[in-house]
Amino acid sequence: MDLDIEGNAALVTASTSGLGHACAEALSKEGVNVTICGRSQDQLAYACDRLNAMGEGDILGLQADVRDPDNVKGLVRETVDQFGGIDHLVTSAGGPPSGSFMDTEDTDWFQAFDQLLMSNVWTTREAYPHLKESDHGSIVNILSRTVREAQDELVLSNSIRRAVLGLTETQAREFAPEVRVNAVLPGPHETSRLEELAEDAVERGEYDEYADAIQAFAEEVPLDRVGQPIELGDVVAFLSSPRASFVNGAALPIDGGAIRE
Ligand SMILES: NC(=O)c1ccc[n+]([C@@H]2O[C@H](COP(=O)([O-])OP(=O)(O)OC[C@H]3O[C@@H](n4cnc5c(N)ncnc54)[C@H](OP(=O)(O)O)[C@@H]3O)[C@@H](O)[C@H]2O)c1
């Protein structure tokens, strides 16, 4: 299927590894010019080399922290300077720390609020005027299955991501018809975030071995495995494209059927 997005411009935040990177890869393979970002310069350089080697579109790599509104303004400004506009925005951010309600301090709550919710507010506010100018403006917010089914030891994700879902639904109504806005809800995918959650579970004594913790993630999924990041990236590229032109305000699980409701 031709996604008909060749030559468009995309900004994908938090995208030097994992799910954001896979979205950048899928868009780039379709000939989209893509800006990626992350905090680590080394990781950024590696990610740019990788995308340049495999993609079709041009890649702009910028060091930025999505929790800093000035960094976010720079991302949008430099993307527009380089590519002449922005047609597609994909928002992601690193995952918040794991933990139970009683283990979670006020500072964790405020940091997760900036990381998950305000990063989206700042990025979307800056990018929207450019998306509105596009003939194919789209936003996809990467959230989590936690918005549909609370997960143990993930109180910050369970709580704050639901606000980002409400924001997504609001943006979908306010920005239509010029810009479509959707969310994807990942289940477990093989990224460094999943490794971190597995290590935390071993540290809490829930599993003896790291491999057991990873196996437990796979066992919750009817397809009997965790996802590969590109399996999410391909869906995000489709949702960003005119092939999904009547999809707006959707929150699509990409989880191998793990959500039970
Ligand atoms: N993987 C899963 O199974 C899964 C499931 C459900 C939800 N999610 C959510 O999906 C999102 C992406 O997950 P992932 O698995 O792809 O994570 P990941 O593999 O840890 O990758 C996170 C990426 O975001 C960048 N990043 C982190 N914090 C950032 C910040 N403040 N500013 C800019 N870039 C930042 C990282 O680079 P730097 O560290 O260099 O900044 C890295 O490129 C997270 O919110 C995660 O909680 C993941």
mmCIF file of all heavy atoms in Angstrom, residues 11 72 76 80 85-89 91 120-134 136-139 170-181:
data_model
loop_
_atom_site.group_PDB
_atom_site.id
_atom_site.type_symbol
_atom_site.label_atom_id
_atom_site.label_comp_id
_atom_site.label_asym_id
_atom_site.label_seq_id
_atom_site.Cartn_x
_atom_site.Cartn_y
_atom_site.Cartn_z
ATOM 1 N N LEU A 11 8.046 15.406 12.667
ATOM 2 C CA LEU A 11 8.821 15.543 13.904
ATOM 3 C C LEU A 11 8.397 14.405 14.820
ATOM 4 O O LEU A 11 7.198 14.264 15.122
ATOM 5 C CB LEU A 11 8.527 16.897 14.566
ATOM 6 C CG LEU A 11 9.024 17.081 16.003
ATOM 7 C CD1 LEU A 11 10.541 16.921 16.112
ATOM 8 C CD2 LEU A 11 8.610 18.464 16.539
ATOM 9 N N VAL A 72 11.844 22.331 23.198
ATOM 10 C CA VAL A 72 10.753 21.930 22.307
ATOM 11 C C VAL A 72 10.531 22.992 21.223
ATOM 12 O O VAL A 72 10.350 22.670 20.044
ATOM 13 C CB VAL A 72 9.473 21.680 23.131
ATOM 14 C CG1 VAL A 72 8.264 21.541 22.224
ATOM 15 C CG2 VAL A 72 9.644 20.432 23.994
ATOM 16 N N VAL A 76 10.823 22.453 16.932
ATOM 17 C CA VAL A 76 9.839 22.834 15.906
ATOM 18 C C VAL A 76 10.470 23.849 14.945
ATOM 19 O O VAL A 76 10.375 23.703 13.713
ATOM 20 C CB VAL A 76 8.561 23.391 16.572
ATOM 21 C CG1 VAL A 76 7.627 24.005 15.530
ATOM 22 C CG2 VAL A 76 7.863 22.275 17.350
ATOM 23 N N VAL A 80 11.136 23.212 10.883
ATOM 24 C CA VAL A 80 10.519 24.055 9.842
ATOM 25 C C VAL A 80 11.614 24.701 8.984
ATOM 26 O O VAL A 80 11.501 24.748 7.749
ATOM 27 C CB VAL A 80 9.597 25.112 10.496
ATOM 28 C CG1 VAL A 80 9.102 26.118 9.463
ATOM 29 C CG2 VAL A 80 8.417 24.426 11.187
ATOM 30 N N GLY A 85 8.354 22.988 6.787
ATOM 31 C CA GLY A 85 7.046 22.850 7.444
ATOM 32 C C GLY A 85 7.030 21.575 8.255
ATOM 33 O O GLY A 85 8.064 20.901 8.389
ATOM 34 N N ILE A 86 5.861 21.261 8.822
ATOM 35 C CA ILE A 86 5.688 19.971 9.513
ATOM 36 C C ILE A 86 4.321 19.422 9.119
ATOM 37 O O ILE A 86 3.293 20.094 9.291
ATOM 38 C CB ILE A 86 5.739 20.112 11.058
ATOM 39 C CG1 ILE A 86 7.028 20.799 11.514
ATOM 40 C CG2 ILE A 86 5.605 18.742 11.725
ATOM 41 C CD1 ILE A 86 7.123 20.993 13.023
ATOM 42 N N ASP A 87 4.314 18.207 8.577
ATOM 43 C CA ASP A 87 3.052 17.551 8.200
ATOM 44 C C ASP A 87 2.592 16.558 9.260
ATOM 45 O O ASP A 87 1.396 16.336 9.415
ATOM 46 C CB ASP A 87 3.236 16.805 6.868
ATOM 47 C CG ASP A 87 3.701 17.727 5.758
ATOM 48 O OD1 ASP A 87 2.887 18.536 5.292
ATOM 49 O OD2 ASP A 87 4.903 17.661 5.393
ATOM 50 N N HIS A 88 3.552 15.949 9.944
ATOM 51 C CA HIS A 88 3.208 14.873 10.885
ATOM 52 C C HIS A 88 3.997 15.052 12.184
ATOM 53 O O HIS A 88 5.214 15.235 12.139
ATOM 54 C CB HIS A 88 3.534 13.496 10.300
ATOM 55 C CG HIS A 88 3.031 13.332 8.904
ATOM 56 N ND1 HIS A 88 1.687 13.272 8.601
ATOM 57 C CD2 HIS A 88 3.698 13.264 7.711
ATOM 58 C CE1 HIS A 88 1.545 13.154 7.286
ATOM 59 N NE2 HIS A 88 2.745 13.154 6.728
ATOM 60 N N LEU A 89 3.261 14.985 13.287
ATOM 61 C CA LEU A 89 3.912 15.008 14.602
ATOM 62 C C LEU A 89 3.637 13.672 15.286
ATOM 63 O O LEU A 89 2.491 13.203 15.311
ATOM 64 C CB LEU A 89 3.314 16.146 15.448
ATOM 65 C CG LEU A 89 3.737 16.198 16.928
ATOM 66 C CD1 LEU A 89 5.230 16.492 17.058
ATOM 67 C CD2 LEU A 89 2.925 17.264 17.678
ATOM 68 N N THR A 91 4.346 12.124 19.032
ATOM 69 C CA THR A 91 4.902 12.471 20.340
ATOM 70 C C THR A 91 5.163 11.202 21.143
ATOM 71 O O THR A 91 4.319 10.317 21.231
ATOM 72 C CB THR A 91 3.965 13.391 21.159
ATOM 73 O OG1 THR A 91 2.848 12.633 21.627
ATOM 74 C CG2 THR A 91 3.514 14.590 20.361
ATOM 75 N N ASN A 120 3.772 16.988 25.863
ATOM 76 C CA ASN A 120 2.802 16.942 24.758
ATOM 77 C C ASN A 120 2.175 18.329 24.549
ATOM 78 O O ASN A 120 2.045 18.800 23.416
ATOM 79 C CB ASN A 120 1.718 15.905 25.063
ATOM 80 C CG ASN A 120 0.749 15.751 23.910
ATOM 81 O OD1 ASN A 120 0.038 16.693 23.560
ATOM 82 N ND2 ASN A 120 0.720 14.588 23.293
ATOM 83 N N VAL A 121 1.819 18.987 25.648
ATOM 84 C CA VAL A 121 1.218 20.330 25.542
ATOM 85 C C VAL A 121 2.179 21.264 24.807
ATOM 86 O O VAL A 121 1.803 21.952 23.845
ATOM 87 C CB VAL A 121 0.896 20.890 26.949
ATOM 88 C CG1 VAL A 121 0.518 22.373 26.876
ATOM 89 C CG2 VAL A 121 -0.215 20.076 27.608
ATOM 90 N N TRP A 122 3.438 21.280 25.241
ATOM 91 C CA TRP A 122 4.411 22.217 24.647
ATOM 92 C C TRP A 122 4.667 21.896 23.171
ATOM 93 O O TRP A 122 4.701 22.800 22.331
ATOM 94 C CB TRP A 122 5.730 22.176 25.431
ATOM 95 C CG TRP A 122 5.605 22.705 26.828
ATOM 96 C CD1 TRP A 122 4.865 23.789 27.236
ATOM 97 C CD2 TRP A 122 6.213 22.174 28.010
ATOM 98 N NE1 TRP A 122 4.981 23.952 28.588
ATOM 99 C CE2 TRP A 122 5.803 22.983 29.099
ATOM 100 C CE3 TRP A 122 7.070 21.111 28.281
ATOM 101 C CZ2 TRP A 122 6.214 22.762 30.415
ATOM 102 C CZ3 TRP A 122 7.485 20.883 29.579
ATOM 103 C CH2 TRP A 122 7.058 21.707 30.630
ATOM 104 N N THR A 123 4.850 20.603 22.874
ATOM 105 C CA THR A 123 5.183 20.227 21.495
ATOM 106 C C THR A 123 4.010 20.513 20.570
ATOM 107 O O THR A 123 4.175 21.076 19.479
ATOM 108 C CB THR A 123 5.554 18.726 21.415
ATOM 109 O OG1 THR A 123 6.474 18.416 22.446
ATOM 110 C CG2 THR A 123 6.159 18.383 20.075
ATOM 111 N N THR A 124 2.838 20.142 21.002
ATOM 112 C CA THR A 124 1.668 20.289 20.125
ATOM 113 C C THR A 124 1.341 21.770 19.928
ATOM 114 O O THR A 124 0.993 22.195 18.811
ATOM 115 C CB THR A 124 0.466 19.534 20.727
ATOM 116 O OG1 THR A 124 0.870 18.192 20.973
ATOM 117 C CG2 THR A 124 -0.720 19.550 19.793
ATOM 118 N N ARG A 125 1.470 22.555 20.986
ATOM 119 C CA ARG A 125 1.189 23.998 20.864
ATOM 120 C C ARG A 125 2.105 24.650 19.826
ATOM 121 O O ARG A 125 1.684 25.462 19.014
ATOM 122 C CB ARG A 125 1.391 24.661 22.236
ATOM 123 C CG ARG A 125 0.936 26.106 22.271
ATOM 124 C CD ARG A 125 1.316 26.736 23.593
ATOM 125 N NE ARG A 125 0.449 26.369 24.679
ATOM 126 C CZ ARG A 125 0.845 26.230 25.963
ATOM 127 N NH1 ARG A 125 2.113 26.369 26.286
ATOM 128 N NH2 ARG A 125 -0.020 25.943 26.898
ATOM 129 N N GLU A 126 3.379 24.258 19.831
ATOM 130 C CA GLU A 126 4.337 24.839 18.875
ATOM 131 C C GLU A 126 4.117 24.316 17.459
ATOM 132 O O GLU A 126 4.249 25.052 16.481
ATOM 133 C CB GLU A 126 5.780 24.480 19.296
ATOM 134 C CG GLU A 126 6.289 25.212 20.502
ATOM 135 C CD GLU A 126 6.236 26.726 20.356
ATOM 136 O OE1 GLU A 126 6.686 27.255 19.326
ATOM 137 O OE2 GLU A 126 5.712 27.382 21.280
ATOM 138 N N ALA A 127 3.814 23.019 17.359
ATOM 139 C CA ALA A 127 3.747 22.398 16.029
ATOM 140 C C ALA A 127 2.419 22.659 15.330
ATOM 141 O O ALA A 127 2.365 22.668 14.089
ATOM 142 C CB ALA A 127 3.970 20.880 16.157
ATOM 143 N N TYR A 128 1.354 22.872 16.089
ATOM 144 C CA TYR A 128 0.007 22.933 15.491
ATOM 145 C C TYR A 128 -0.116 23.959 14.353
ATOM 146 O O TYR A 128 -0.683 23.630 13.291
ATOM 147 C CB TYR A 128 -1.050 23.188 16.580
ATOM 148 C CG TYR A 128 -2.411 23.432 15.994
ATOM 149 C CD1 TYR A 128 -3.086 22.423 15.294
ATOM 150 C CD2 TYR A 128 -3.026 24.675 16.099
ATOM 151 C CE1 TYR A 128 -4.325 22.652 14.721
ATOM 152 C CE2 TYR A 128 -4.267 24.915 15.531
ATOM 153 C CZ TYR A 128 -4.910 23.897 14.844
ATOM 154 O OH TYR A 128 -6.130 24.132 14.276
ATOM 155 N N PRO A 129 0.375 25.209 14.510
ATOM 156 C CA PRO A 129 0.211 26.154 13.395
ATOM 157 C C PRO A 129 0.814 25.629 12.095
ATOM 158 O O PRO A 129 0.297 25.912 11.012
ATOM 159 C CB PRO A 129 0.959 27.409 13.882
ATOM 160 C CG PRO A 129 1.007 27.274 15.370
ATOM 161 C CD PRO A 129 1.053 25.811 15.661
ATOM 162 N N HIS A 130 1.884 24.853 12.183
ATOM 163 C CA HIS A 130 2.518 24.299 10.974
ATOM 164 C C HIS A 130 1.716 23.104 10.446
ATOM 165 O O HIS A 130 1.537 22.951 9.236
ATOM 166 C CB HIS A 130 3.965 23.895 11.278
ATOM 167 C CG HIS A 130 4.759 25.035 11.837
ATOM 168 N ND1 HIS A 130 5.196 26.079 11.062
ATOM 169 C CD2 HIS A 130 5.141 25.322 13.113
ATOM 170 C CE1 HIS A 130 5.835 26.958 11.831
ATOM 171 N NE2 HIS A 130 5.818 26.516 13.074
ATOM 172 N N LEU A 131 1.244 22.261 11.355
ATOM 173 C CA LEU A 131 0.434 21.105 10.937
ATOM 174 C C LEU A 131 -0.828 21.580 10.225
ATOM 175 O O LEU A 131 -1.285 20.971 9.255
ATOM 176 C CB LEU A 131 0.046 20.269 12.168
ATOM 177 C CG LEU A 131 1.209 19.577 12.882
ATOM 178 C CD1 LEU A 131 0.774 19.106 14.269
ATOM 179 C CD2 LEU A 131 1.720 18.393 12.064
ATOM 180 N N LYS A 132 -1.381 22.671 10.716
ATOM 181 C CA LYS A 132 -2.627 23.210 10.148
ATOM 182 C C LYS A 132 -2.422 23.684 8.701
ATOM 183 O O LYS A 132 -3.342 23.649 7.885
ATOM 184 C CB LYS A 132 -3.052 24.400 11.019
ATOM 185 C CG LYS A 132 -4.483 24.777 10.884
ATOM 186 C CD LYS A 132 -4.807 25.908 11.830
ATOM 187 C CE LYS A 132 -6.148 26.497 11.431
ATOM 188 N NZ LYS A 132 -6.448 27.718 12.129
ATOM 189 N N GLU A 133 -1.199 24.104 8.398
ATOM 190 C CA GLU A 133 -0.872 24.574 7.033
ATOM 191 C C GLU A 133 -0.735 23.418 6.051
ATOM 192 O O GLU A 133 -0.777 23.606 4.837
ATOM 193 C CB GLU A 133 0.469 25.333 7.042
ATOM 194 C CG GLU A 133 0.439 26.649 7.797
ATOM 195 C CD GLU A 133 -0.534 27.626 7.173
ATOM 196 O OE1 GLU A 133 -0.444 27.834 5.948
ATOM 197 O OE2 GLU A 133 -1.423 28.128 7.894
ATOM 198 N N SER A 134 -0.532 22.209 6.579
ATOM 199 C CA SER A 134 -0.311 21.045 5.722
ATOM 200 C C SER A 134 -1.643 20.552 5.151
ATOM 201 O O SER A 134 -2.693 20.710 5.767
ATOM 202 C CB SER A 134 0.323 19.917 6.543
ATOM 203 O OG SER A 134 0.267 18.708 5.851
ATOM 204 N N HIS A 136 -2.093 17.419 4.886
ATOM 205 C CA HIS A 136 -2.259 16.089 5.498
ATOM 206 C C HIS A 136 -1.845 16.116 6.968
ATOM 207 O O HIS A 136 -1.207 15.188 7.444
ATOM 208 C CB HIS A 136 -1.369 15.046 4.809
ATOM 209 C CG HIS A 136 -1.473 15.024 3.327
ATOM 210 N ND1 HIS A 136 -2.576 14.547 2.684
ATOM 211 C CD2 HIS A 136 -0.624 15.439 2.363
ATOM 212 C CE1 HIS A 136 -2.401 14.654 1.379
ATOM 213 N NE2 HIS A 136 -1.230 15.204 1.162
ATOM 214 N N GLY A 137 -2.167 17.182 7.689
ATOM 215 C CA GLY A 137 -1.681 17.316 9.070
ATOM 216 C C GLY A 137 -2.150 16.173 9.960
ATOM 217 O O GLY A 137 -3.334 15.818 9.960
ATOM 218 N N SER A 138 -1.225 15.602 10.725
ATOM 219 C CA SER A 138 -1.613 14.511 11.628
ATOM 220 C C SER A 138 -0.730 14.515 12.865
ATOM 221 O O SER A 138 0.427 14.951 12.822
ATOM 222 C CB SER A 138 -1.485 13.148 10.930
ATOM 223 O OG SER A 138 -0.116 12.826 10.763
ATOM 224 N N ILE A 139 -1.329 14.035 13.952
ATOM 225 C CA ILE A 139 -0.593 13.831 15.205
ATOM 226 C C ILE A 139 -0.891 12.415 15.675
ATOM 227 O O ILE A 139 -2.046 11.976 15.628
ATOM 228 C CB ILE A 139 -1.058 14.819 16.305
ATOM 229 C CG1 ILE A 139 -0.849 16.271 15.863
ATOM 230 C CG2 ILE A 139 -0.333 14.549 17.626
ATOM 231 C CD1 ILE A 139 -1.404 17.310 16.841
ATOM 232 N N THR A 170 -9.385 15.642 23.058
ATOM 233 C CA THR A 170 -9.731 17.068 22.934
ATOM 234 C C THR A 170 -9.099 17.661 21.680
ATOM 235 O O THR A 170 -9.760 18.374 20.910
ATOM 236 C CB THR A 170 -9.235 17.829 24.180
ATOM 237 O OG1 THR A 170 -9.751 17.189 25.343
ATOM 238 C CG2 THR A 170 -9.686 19.278 24.156
ATOM 239 N N GLN A 171 -7.822 17.351 21.478
ATOM 240 C CA GLN A 171 -7.129 17.860 20.277
ATOM 241 C C GLN A 171 -7.827 17.335 19.018
ATOM 242 O O GLN A 171 -7.968 18.068 18.033
ATOM 243 C CB GLN A 171 -5.664 17.402 20.285
ATOM 244 C CG GLN A 171 -4.814 18.047 21.362
ATOM 245 C CD GLN A 171 -3.487 17.304 21.597
ATOM 246 O OE1 GLN A 171 -3.267 16.204 21.098
ATOM 247 N NE2 GLN A 171 -2.602 17.903 22.372
ATOM 248 N N ALA A 172 -8.280 16.093 19.051
ATOM 249 C CA ALA A 172 -8.934 15.507 17.867
ATOM 250 C C ALA A 172 -10.195 16.286 17.506
ATOM 251 O O ALA A 172 -10.539 16.417 16.331
ATOM 252 C CB ALA A 172 -9.264 14.041 18.120
ATOM 253 N N ARG A 173 -10.889 16.788 18.510
ATOM 254 C CA ARG A 173 -12.106 17.570 18.241
ATOM 255 C C ARG A 173 -11.747 18.995 17.824
ATOM 256 O O ARG A 173 -12.305 19.535 16.878
ATOM 257 C CB ARG A 173 -12.997 17.608 19.488
ATOM 258 C CG ARG A 173 -13.471 16.225 19.918
ATOM 259 C CD ARG A 173 -14.490 16.308 21.032
ATOM 260 N NE ARG A 173 -15.737 16.870 20.562
ATOM 261 C CZ ARG A 173 -16.651 16.191 19.860
ATOM 262 N NH1 ARG A 173 -16.460 14.926 19.584
ATOM 263 N NH2 ARG A 173 -17.746 16.782 19.454
ATOM 264 N N GLU A 174 -10.798 19.605 18.545
ATOM 265 C CA GLU A 174 -10.492 21.020 18.294
ATOM 266 C C GLU A 174 -9.729 21.230 16.982
ATOM 267 O O GLU A 174 -9.877 22.271 16.349
ATOM 268 C CB GLU A 174 -9.673 21.608 19.450
ATOM 269 C CG GLU A 174 -10.474 21.739 20.737
ATOM 270 C CD GLU A 174 -9.731 22.521 21.815
ATOM 271 O OE1 GLU A 174 -8.631 23.051 21.542
ATOM 272 O OE2 GLU A 174 -10.255 22.593 22.933
ATOM 273 N N PHE A 175 -8.882 20.285 16.596
ATOM 274 C CA PHE A 175 -7.999 20.498 15.438
ATOM 275 C C PHE A 175 -8.636 20.025 14.125
ATOM 276 O O PHE A 175 -8.105 20.276 13.047
ATOM 277 C CB PHE A 175 -6.657 19.787 15.623
ATOM 278 C CG PHE A 175 -5.817 20.309 16.763
ATOM 279 C CD1 PHE A 175 -4.659 19.639 17.153
ATOM 280 C CD2 PHE A 175 -6.159 21.473 17.451
ATOM 281 C CE1 PHE A 175 -3.863 20.106 18.193
ATOM 282 C CE2 PHE A 175 -5.373 21.946 18.510
ATOM 283 C CZ PHE A 175 -4.229 21.260 18.879
ATOM 284 N N ALA A 176 -9.745 19.276 14.218
ATOM 285 C CA ALA A 176 -10.424 18.816 12.998
ATOM 286 C C ALA A 176 -11.103 20.021 12.338
ATOM 287 O O ALA A 176 -11.524 20.950 13.041
ATOM 288 C CB ALA A 176 -11.463 17.762 13.366
ATOM 289 N N PRO A 177 -11.227 20.048 11.019
ATOM 290 C CA PRO A 177 -10.895 18.976 10.091
ATOM 291 C C PRO A 177 -9.465 19.053 9.554
ATOM 292 O O PRO A 177 -9.059 18.158 8.823
ATOM 293 C CB PRO A 177 -11.886 19.198 8.945
ATOM 294 C CG PRO A 177 -12.069 20.688 8.911
ATOM 295 C CD PRO A 177 -11.977 21.141 10.337
ATOM 296 N N GLU A 178 -8.705 20.108 9.919
ATOM 297 C CA GLU A 178 -7.392 20.263 9.255
ATOM 298 C C GLU A 178 -6.380 19.206 9.713
ATOM 299 O O GLU A 178 -5.555 18.753 8.922
ATOM 300 C CB GLU A 178 -6.799 21.656 9.527
ATOM 301 C CG GLU A 178 -7.537 22.811 8.871
ATOM 302 C CD GLU A 178 -8.653 23.359 9.734
ATOM 303 O OE1 GLU A 178 -8.882 22.803 10.849
ATOM 304 O OE2 GLU A 178 -9.303 24.331 9.316
ATOM 305 N N VAL A 179 -6.423 18.883 11.010
ATOM 306 C CA VAL A 179 -5.395 17.982 11.558
ATOM 307 C C VAL A 179 -6.088 16.833 12.288
ATOM 308 O O VAL A 179 -6.955 17.071 13.142
ATOM 309 C CB VAL A 179 -4.481 18.747 12.547
ATOM 310 C CG1 VAL A 179 -3.433 17.813 13.157
ATOM 311 C CG2 VAL A 179 -3.807 19.933 11.860
ATOM 312 N N ARG A 180 -5.718 15.593 11.936
ATOM 313 C CA ARG A 180 -6.249 14.425 12.658
ATOM 314 C C ARG A 180 -5.325 14.092 13.834
ATOM 315 O O ARG A 180 -4.109 14.241 13.724
ATOM 316 C CB ARG A 180 -6.299 13.211 11.726
ATOM 317 C CG ARG A 180 -7.309 13.316 10.609
ATOM 318 C CD ARG A 180 -7.283 12.063 9.715
ATOM 319 N NE ARG A 180 -5.985 11.819 9.127
ATOM 320 C CZ ARG A 180 -5.145 10.881 9.514
ATOM 321 N NH1 ARG A 180 -5.458 10.039 10.478
ATOM 322 N NH2 ARG A 180 -3.963 10.745 8.936
ATOM 323 N N VAL A 181 -5.929 13.650 14.929
ATOM 324 C CA VAL A 181 -5.134 13.313 16.117
ATOM 325 C C VAL A 181 -5.569 11.943 16.640
ATOM 326 O O VAL A 181 -6.761 11.717 16.898
ATOM 327 C CB VAL A 181 -5.314 14.361 17.241
ATOM 328 C CG1 VAL A 181 -4.325 14.094 18.381
ATOM 329 C CG2 VAL A 181 -5.135 15.776 16.710
#
